Amino acid sequence: MEQTLSLIKPDAVERNLIGKIVTVFEENNLTIKEIKKIHVTLEFAQKFYEMHSERPFFKDLCSYISSGPLVAIVLEGDNAIQKNRDLMGATNPSEAQEGTIRKMFAISIDKNSVHGSDSSESSKREIDLFFKQ
Ligand code: GDP
């Protein structure tokens, strides 16, 4: 069993998509171990996305993720990290495959509805940031 961090980002929370997105996880054998709705500060967002601090979109990314409430989820299941990434689809929704969360719900590369840890190291770090501090 593996764990990963999922975020339902502010654009999806604002559009009442929490239930639809959680349903995708549950129907694909990912179990909700922890879940909470939280409005993070800009400082928290900057720490969460610190690996992107040199990228041109960093400022917009951090102000967006702290612009309204999001839902943080610890998902558990076999191969949970990769499975969640597959269910999410490509970062840019215009490139995401049919049936993926981003294809179904995302608005743009900025408002792309979900986050998922991309490795076991980032999963541990991100679960720690959201649920153990
Ligand atoms: P993810 O793992 O698919 O979410 O993608 P990354 O970890 O590479 O990037 C984190 C977030 O930054 C993405 O979900 C996007 O919202 C945003 N992002 C990534 N690349 C770009 C880009 O080229 N332009 C813009 N505007 N945003 C980006």
Side-chain angles (χ1 to χ4, degrees), residues 9 49 52 55 57 61 85 88 91 102 109-110 112 114-116:
K9 294 184 178 182
Y49 279 126
H52 293 310
R55 310 285 285 278
F57 54 83
L61 176 62
R85 300 285 303 177
M88 287 162 56
T91 306
R102 282 169 167 165
I109 193 164
D110 307 286
N112 63 2
V114 279
H115 165 87

Side-chain angles (χ1 to χ4, degrees), residues 73-129:
I73 306 170
V74 178
L75 293 174
E76 187 175 273
D78 287 335
N79 203 19
I81 295 169
Q82 188 58 49
K83 185 182 273 187
N84 182 38
R85 300 285 303 177
D86 293 344
L87 293 171
M88 287 162 56
T91 306
N92 188 340
S94 68
E95 294 165 9
Q97 288 187 7
E98 285 301 329
T100 61
I101 292 169
R102 282 169 167 165
K103 181 69 176 184
M104 291 190 280
F105 303 124
I107 296 169
S108 65
I109 193 164
D110 307 286
K111 297 184 173 181
N112 63 2
S113 300
V114 279
H115 165 87
S117 311
D118 64 3
S119 67
S120 58
E121 293 71 33
S122 61
S123 151
K124 285 188 194 72
R125 175 183 166 274
E126 293 173 0
I127 290 171
D128 191 59
L129 267 175

